[in-house]
Amino acid sequence: MTRPPTSAERALGTLRELIMGGELAPGARLGEVELADRLGVSRTPVREALSRLAAEGLVEVVANRGARVATWTVAELEGVFDLRSVLEPQLTAHAVPNAGPGDVDELDALARRMHEVGAPGPAQDLDALVPLNRAFHDRLVTLAAHPTLAAALAAAIHPPIVRRNFLTYDEESLRRSLAHHTEIVAAVRAGDPAWARAVMTSHIANARAVMVRAARLQATAHPQEETA
Amino acid sequence: MTRPPTSAERALGTLRELIMGGELAPGARLGEVELADRLGVSRTPVREALSRLAAEGLVEVVANRGARVATWTVAELEGVFDLRSVLEPQLTAHAVPNAGPGDVDELDALARRMHEVGAPGPAQDLDALVPLNRAFHDRLVTLAAHPTLAAALAAAIHPPIVRRNFLTYDEESLRRSLAHHTEIVAAVRAGDPAWARAVMTSHIANARAVMVRAARLQATAHPQEETA
DNA sequence: TCCCCGGTGATTGCATGCAAGTTAGGGGTC
DNA sequence: GACCCCTAACTTGCATGCAATCACCGGGGA
């Protein structure tokens, strides 16, 4: 019997989705009464949700001045990728010995589908890549069976960065990214943790280059954007 | 002008210290009214503090059944050291190029004082090692100037593990640990990030072995301890 | 004797009310 | 005309009250 979620939990989840989904832009003000009305609850569970989101780093609270959706600088973005570049290769290496034939097949299927929808041409569908990519990485994290590392990684990715991502990939970087997935499958199939770790390191480095470039462009295009 | 801390912040800090300091043992029940009375505030800031501590992993809340101080298994303890063993060497490597001569001298002084109070004999004072060790590691983290990695590390160490630690070191491991500090200073002075990273990796591995052994002993000695 | 069930006390979850702090705007002064 | 101060509306922070849920415990039945 599943436990009915409390109002605070629903508020937490809803706010997380609103922020991660981009409906609440970075810097947007988060008034307690406004959110309470919007979610149909009182201010108490909203306060609790905001407090926890602040602990997660998704929102920033400035005592007596309310909460805003967290903003991030290019330096912070690079910091997040530094963290991913140590955690995710390690998790991948942990995953290798735990992957059975069925797991390898599933990863392989995901990688192939990503090639299908990601290949340039009329069938290209970049939006479909996002859930596939997430499924691929989540599968590896699950296989690693390492809750502590997984939690640290989840906390790192929280800053809503990976959200609208594949749109910013240039063609060469995208091709590289897809090839990385395929190569990771090969490394896992070969049972070689060091190989898998190395490919994942490259994978993150590639993503880092793409995201940092995009963030720099956006920073110069819209300096000091303040979404009220 | 320093901002006077809010009641919720004080509750958060006090509870953190009580838990990290061991005055609230793992598994201890945390009643809202009891804590509110103890801290001289109402239940609202206590709830907020508990919620944030839960997000940090220091306490566990079971819907409608209140909060308890988080407990950890040996496997989770090992997981935390896995995380430290990727994060802290990386941070140390980052710190090396940022360390000026003054920083090296301070690290050196800390390492020397740890040798003084840690050497076996009548002058040995293991309790004095804890703050010195903390100061040493904190100095390196600060020098790394990498908030994201530092935050991830802080979140990892939270489980109150490092608390009463040096008492569990056997003589050989303690000697190794002190030697590591000295060698890290040498590596930083030499400006060699790879060296510093390698020593820190050994340092964490040594600590991991000590803590895991101690935890295993304690687990067999007091299985299922429930401090009410 | 053991198991199941209903009552009771305590605890959590949430809503609301009040006070302190903050921000915005207008009037006064230089 | 520019600057400063002061007032007012709004927002946050906290306390308190009430309903829902849960753990504990004694009694009845198998």
Side-chain angles (χ1 to χ4, degrees):
Chain A
M1 180 160 149
T2 69
R3 198 149 300 284
T6 67
S7 297
E9 286 170 353
R10 272 186 294 117
L12 182 63
T14 305
L15 280 177
R16 237 202 300 256
E17 285 179 16
L18 284 175
I19 295 173
M20 304 277 288
E23 304 189 43
L24 290 171
R29 220 176 153 296
L30 299 170
E32 294 183 359
V33 279
E34 174 198 340
L35 293 176
D37 291 346
R38 188 166 177 173
L39 300 177
V41 295
S42 88
R43 283 173 46 215
T44 307
V46 171
R47 279 182 65 79
E48 184 167 336
L50 286 177
S51 182
R52 297 192 57 164
L53 288 173
E56 293 178 15
L58 267 181
V59 313
E60 296 164 339
V61 292
V62 222
N64 276 338
R65 292 185 51 184
R68 310 181 84 90
V69 179
T71 59
W72 34 268
T73 65
V74 175
E76 289 167 333
L77 178 66
E78 291 185 293
V80 169
F81 273 95
D82 285 346
L83 185 51
R84 288 189 67 183
S85 71
V86 275
L87 292 180
E88 233 166 324
Q90 181 75 357
L91 273 165
T92 305
H94 273 283
V96 170
N98 298 335
D103 300 312
V104 175
D105 289 343
E106 286 183 37
L107 287 171
D108 191 47
L110 287 169
R112 286 179 192 281
R113 291 202 52 204
M114 292 180 79
H115 268 288
E116 289 170 11
V117 303
Q124 189 179 43
D125 179 5
L126 294 179
D127 287 335
L129 271 179
V130 177
L132 287 173
N133 183 64
R134 184 179 180 105
F136 187 88
H137 285 259
D138 282 355
R139 199 93 184 82
L140 284 175
V141 170
T142 304
L143 280 173
H146 198 306
T148 308
L149 286 178
L153 179 64
I157 297 189
H158 258 151
I161 286 163
V162 201
R163 187 168 51 79
R164 57 170 183 10
N165 48 2
F166 285 105
L167 305 177
T168 69
Y169 272 70
D170 61 290
E171 193 173 321
E172 183 190 346
S173 299
L174 179 57
R175 203 188 307 274
R176 252 201 301 266
S177 180
L178 298 179
H180 285 151
H181 290 143
T182 306
E183 188 174 359
I184 288 171
V185 174
V188 174
R189 195 191 303 273
D192 188 335
W195 184 9
R197 181 205 311 264
V199 181
M200 182 56 87
T201 304
S202 308
H203 189 60
I204 303 293
N206 185 50
R208 172 190 172 129
V210 172
M211 297 309 294
V212 167
R213 182 167 52 80
R216 286 234 171 80
L217 287 176
Q218 186 178 346
T220 56
H222 312 285
Q224 308 265 5
E225 184 176 7
E226 275 290 327
T227 310
Chain B
M1 175 164 147
T2 69
R3 196 150 301 284
T6 67
S7 297
E9 286 169 354
R10 272 185 295 116
L12 182 64
T14 305
L15 280 176
R16 239 201 297 255
E17 286 179 16
L18 285 176
I19 295 173
M20 304 276 287
E23 303 188 44
L24 290 171
R29 220 180 153 293
L30 299 171
E32 295 183 358
V33 279
E34 173 199 342
L35 293 175
D37 291 346
R38 188 166 177 173
L39 301 176
V41 295
S42 88
R43 283 172 46 217
T44 308
V46 171
R47 281 183 63 81
E48 184 167 337
L50 286 177
S51 181
R52 296 191 58 164
L53 288 173
E56 294 178 13
L58 268 180
V59 312
E60 298 163 339
V61 291
V62 219
N64 274 339
R65 292 185 48 184
R68 310 181 84 89
V69 179
T71 59
W72 34 267
T73 65
V74 174
E76 288 167 334
L77 177 66
E78 291 185 294
V80 169
F81 273 96
D82 285 346
L83 184 50
R84 287 188 68 182
S85 71
V86 280
L87 292 180
E88 228 163 330
Q90 182 75 358
L91 273 165
T92 306
H94 273 284
V96 170
N98 298 335
D103 300 313
V104 176
D105 288 343
E106 287 184 35
L107 287 171
D108 192 46
L110 287 170
R112 286 179 192 281
R113 290 201 51 204
M114 292 181 80
H115 268 289
E116 290 169 11
V117 302
Q124 189 179 40
D125 180 4
L126 294 180
D127 288 334
L129 271 179
V130 178
L132 288 172
N133 183 64
R134 184 179 179 104
F136 187 88
H137 285 258
D138 282 353
R139 199 91 185 84
L140 285 175
V141 170
T142 304
L143 280 172
H146 198 306
T148 308
L149 285 179
L153 179 64
I157 297 188
H158 259 151
I161 286 163
V162 201
R163 185 168 54 79
R164 58 173 182 6
N165 49 2
F166 285 104
L167 305 178
T168 70
Y169 273 70
D170 61 290
E171 193 173 319
E172 182 189 345
S173 299
L174 177 58
R175 202 189 309 274
R176 250 200 305 264
S177 179
L178 298 179
H180 285 152
H181 290 143
T182 306
E183 187 173 358
I184 287 171
V185 174
V188 173
R189 195 191 304 275
D192 189 334
W195 184 10
R197 182 205 310 263
V199 181
M200 183 56 87
T201 303
S202 307
H203 188 60
I204 304 293
N206 185 49
R208 172 190 172 130
V210 172
M211 299 310 293
V212 167
R213 183 167 51 79
R216 286 234 172 80
L217 287 176
Q218 186 178 346
T220 57
H222 313 284
Q224 309 263 5
E225 185 176 6
E226 274 291 327
T227 309

